[in-house]
């Protein structure tokens, strides 16, 4: 359809070895070595690095319509937010990682929200929630309870934003 397509991913579960790069002009999955999925250790890069690469591609690709997929992985265990979020959320490092991730997205989303970029449709969602100790599960992946099943879905575009609950 004439679109330039770019994907910028932050963690091993979306590595191109799984075929997810199909159909993208650019699939940036430059990750450090060291994933051990059977031990739940995933190679990842911080969200600000992913957003920097995605934003550079976005700004270089203005001559055609664009589709950009940005995947961030920061709010995953172990919860170790960067400063100043580690200090600010010392008693709740998970929330520190969520706040850091919000800040990482600001350079990418800010120009759209401020009207400095041409109109776009932006979709923000998550793959799962975190149990954070509920039902005896510290993170996610074992049980299908509300804390891990409920995820955000925000669709924003030139006509405003829509958010809500999907029951």
């Amino acid at each position: 359809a004439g679109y330039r397509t770019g994907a910028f991913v932050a963690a091993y579960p979306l590595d191109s070895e799984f075929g997810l790069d199909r159909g993208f002009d650019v699939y940036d999955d430059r990750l450090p070595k060291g994933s051990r999925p059977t031990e739940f250790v995933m190679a990842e890069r911080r969200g600000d690095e992913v957003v920097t690469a995605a934003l550079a591609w976005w700004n270089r690709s203005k001559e055609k319509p664009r589709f950009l997929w940005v995947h961030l992985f920061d709010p995953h265990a172990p919860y170790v937010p960067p400063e100043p979020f580690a200090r600010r959320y010392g008693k709740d490092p998970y929330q520190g990682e969520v706040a850091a991730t919000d800040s990482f997205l600001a350079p990418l989303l800010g120009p759209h929200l401020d009207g400095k970029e041409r109109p776009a449709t932006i979709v923000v969602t998550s793959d799962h929630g975190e149990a954070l100790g509920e039902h005896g599960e510290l993170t996610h992946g074992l049980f299908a309870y509300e804390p891990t099943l409920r995820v955000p879905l925000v669709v924003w575009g030139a006509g405003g934003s829509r958010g809500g609950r999907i029951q």
Side-chain angles (χ1 to χ4, degrees), residues 109-130:
L109 299 178
H112 294 280
L113 299 174
D114 295 341
K116 295 177 182 167
E117 269 285 346
R118 67 182 185 200
T121 300
I122 298 170
V123 179
V124 179
T125 192
S126 177
D127 57 344
H128 58 77
E130 291 288 273

Side-chain angles (χ1 to χ4, degrees), residues 12 15 17 22 25 57 77 79 81-82 94-95 108 112 117 122 130 135 142-143 157 166:
Y12 178 73
D15 192 280
E17 77 178 72
R22 186 172 169 206
D25 299 322
W57 176 85
Y79 310 122
Y94 173 74
Q95 289 300 324
L108 185 62
H112 294 280
E117 269 285 346
I122 298 170
E130 291 288 273
H135 306 287
L142 298 176
F143 304 123
I166 298 174

